[in-house]
Amino acid sequence: GSMWTPAGMLAIAKFRLASFRNRFCLEELSGALGDMGTLIPLVAACAKAGSLRLGPAMFWLGVFNIISALQWDIPMPVQPMKSISAVAIADGLSPGAFAASGIITGGVVWILGITKLVDLVNRVISRSVISGMQLGLGLNMAATGCGYWRQSDWLELDGKITGLVCFVATAALMVHNRMPTA
């Protein structure tokens, strides 16, 4: 039968869940938490900037992560949404523009995945272009973040202690690499 029938979708879901159970390890968990550790602060910052509502965003993020994991046997790549979030945080996007960006990006990624054109796009667009975009968005977001320091009490004692604890934990995990870090 077709994979688009209810029976076909159920068979794919059962196969994917068995595959997840067979491959589950600390490295997989670390990678999953690493992506969430980046995505959740971006989503929260976008909510603070007024580009989205946090509750519905987290709900639909979870729903579509599950759907994409079952469809493609991998969690949803969040890099395109990180780029949209960076622009929303640094330059401000209205909720409508933010939603439209997500819908268009999701549609393009879906079409590229279904048609296998993603391989062609990877060959045509050089790594340096992608790296340049990432660097530019990262610097723009970092500058915006530094601007928030003046508006808040991040540099008070609790912020300094939290930063120090996170730095020490990250350094310890990197030096003693028996535990995977994302």
Side-chain angles (χ1 to χ4, degrees), residues 6-150:
M9 290 182 197
L10 184 59
I12 289 172
K14 286 180 180 179
F15 174 78
R16 295 293 194 226
L17 291 173
S19 171
F20 294 152
R21 280 193 298 274
N22 291 336
R23 291 181 310 173
F24 185 76
C25 60
L26 284 176
E27 288 83 7
E28 290 285 334
L29 180 63
S30 175
L33 294 177
D35 282 346
M36 295 309 288
T38 305
L39 185 63
I40 290 174
L42 289 174
V43 169
C46 287
K48 182 181 184 294
S51 295
L52 62 82
R53 289 183 24 223
L54 194 56
M58 295 306 290
F59 172 79
W60 289 111
L61 178 71
V63 167
F64 286 110
N65 263 325
I66 292 167
I67 291 170
S68 67
L70 292 174
Q71 176 66 33
W72 285 294
D73 202 23
I74 58 169
M76 181 179 75
V78 294
Q79 273 56 20
M81 291 310 297
K82 287 179 187 174
S83 299
I84 294 169
S85 297
V87 172
I89 293 165
D91 298 333
L93 282 179
S94 70
F98 190 82
S101 300
I103 291 167
I104 292 168
T105 300
V108 168
V109 169
W110 182 73
I111 290 169
L112 290 174
I114 290 292
T115 61
K116 308 285 191 225
L117 285 174
V118 71
D119 296 327
L120 174 65
V121 171
N122 282 333
R123 285 193 302 270
V124 171
I125 299 176
S126 71
R127 281 263 199 231
S128 60
V129 171
I130 302 300
S131 297
M133 289 175 57
Q134 289 174 329
L135 178 63
L137 287 169
L139 289 173
N140 199 359
M141 245 176 43
T144 301
C146 289
Y148 287 153
W149 286 354
R150 289 178 282 184

Side-chain angles (χ1 to χ4, degrees), residues 149 152-169:
W149 286 354
S152 69
D153 57 359
W154 283 12
L155 296 179
E156 298 296 322
L157 183 60
D158 60 339
K160 291 175 183 173
I161 291 171
T162 302
L164 181 63
V165 167
C166 290
F167 175 77
V168 169

